[in-house]
Amino acid sequence: MNFQLSPSDLLAPSKAVRSDVLLVLLRDGYEVLPERMAGLPGTIARAMQCGHWSPAAGKRLSLYLPDDAFASRVILLGIGQGKQQDIREALSKAVKELVSEDVRLAVYFAQDATIDQVRTAMLAVGGAGYVYSNTKPSAKGGLKKVVIGAPNANDCRTGFEEGRALLAGMGLAREWANRPANHATPTLLGKVAEEIARSGNEGHGDARFKCELLDEAKVRKLGMGAFLAVAKGSSEPLRFIVLQYHGADRKQAPLAFVGKGITFDSGGISIKPGAGMDEMKFDMSGAASVLGLFEALRHLRPAINVVGLIPACENMPSGEATKPGDVITSMSGQTIEVLNTDAEGRLILCDALTYAERFKPLAVVDIATLTGNCVMALGNLRSGLFSQHDELARAIEQAADESADLCWRMPMDDAYGKGLKSNFADMANIAGRTAGAISAAKFLERYTSAYPWAHLDIAGTAWDEGAAKGATGRPVPLLVRLVLNLAKTPVQFALPAPEGGKATARDTGKTGKPAARKPAAAKGKGAAAGKRG
Ligand code: BES
Ligand code: MN
Ligand code: ZN
């Protein structure tokens, strides 16, 4: 989708931005000066005077004007007081009705717009204008060219640039999450990452982007026994993707993002029921959001260092697959009894979380379609946020609110992790029947003692079901906002309290317990921990 920004005057449309359809966004209080009653402004004034139309949010009026205007078809669209939610809803609905027609669209604010309003309008238009066609050549439409206009367009350029970067990132995340598992293999995801890094460096002399792809042999050498235990049931080769972006001094600690990249989750030997199993092609949405973040970074190039880690593989049953009861050794040295092979996300993530230590990160955020239980708890409105680090959690909540990509902080009391006890390993990979989203987070927590950490469970928010089945591109807006906020105002997150040490007031969770604890195995058994050095 190609976006263009244009300063507009509804009285003097420029031939250069002529489109098929012009959507005119009007806020409450729109007034037309008597000396400007010609053309479109006069038509708008008459429609309001006759009481046929008002700029109430979502209210529409279709007009057909002589061909000297911006477009032969004009739609007045009310946005009420201009609140972001009103703009989003009004535009999404209007654009969804237009996309099938393959139109050139122009969207003009009749009054001065804010940076936030321009960004919001672009996300709504671009989001609604996306049509999946990779494996459906018959799919029609999709917006190709969109002109965004406002009288004060030149003051809104940052909103426009951010909108464009976000749309590129969300578009990439949606596209790859939507592609079926046989068209979005770990190998292909690796190629996408390479391509992002390559094009991110193109035309720039500073080589800010770097991509490394680890294959099975390298993953084995690293001792990622948990990741391997999931991947080995499938004949599709695994990939461990390492993306790096250096926008600041290379000595500065990076923010690290870890995305769950299960390209298909059949459940493995603990196989899932057939109904709806196709949706488990979306189980790499966390990975897609990390790729989407890097795609946005390619456009925005902020002054911060970022690492993206993606363990990618399929979870399949076979003669080679991990069996319930098998005990595996993670890269951290901690052993895991796999009581349910369908709790595979935490197994690939735990090794990626251990791998993240080598970057000495400022903080690590993992993003995963981790539990059906999180969908039960929060539905498709808010992603689940799990962290014992108050300052990091607040930064994420703020980014979520600012980007309207909402999340909700869940409790992390240590008692929720009790059920992970195993008689045959340091921990089991599942706990009891209740609070499954939290016990999953408690499992991951045992691999994160080296840095401030947060976990986003996006099982409910990454895709829509039913007739509108498809990836949403979430939580790319949240992640991009978080990175931009931290680039603008650098924060030194306090480290988790050392083992046995007293936590500072700041990193004490609501329970009054230390923010994170050293995992049991890291205390004495540390064979593999020692190996890692
Ligand atoms: N990928 C699923 C989680 C999921 C399920 C996301 C449904 C979205 C919709 C995950 O790997 C899984 O299977 N989790 C199990 C965990 C259980 C075995 C402890 C679940 O949620 O049922
Ligand atoms: Mn599963
Ligand atoms: Zn899964």
Side-chain angles (χ1 to χ4, degrees), residues 391-405:
E391 206 185 351
L392 176 60
R394 271 195 295 271
I396 292 172
E397 286 176 316
Q398 188 190 332
D401 291 342
E402 286 173 2
S403 61
D405 186 356

Side-chain angles (χ1 to χ4, degrees), residues 132-188:
Y132 174 81
S133 63
N134 185 255
T135 50
K136 186 180 176 182
S138 62
K140 284 209 181 60
L143 294 179
K144 307 223 160 44
K145 185 182 153 235
V146 183
V147 178
I148 300 283
N152 63 336
N154 293 328
D155 306 330
C156 301
R157 189 140 295 271
T158 45
F160 178 78
E161 301 296 350
E162 255 182 60
R164 192 152 61 180
L166 271 170
L167 277 176
M170 288 176 82
L172 184 128
R174 282 176 89 172
E175 180 61 31
W176 281 94
N178 279 335
R179 289 192 189 184
N182 63 332
H183 292 261
T185 59
T187 309
L188 288 168

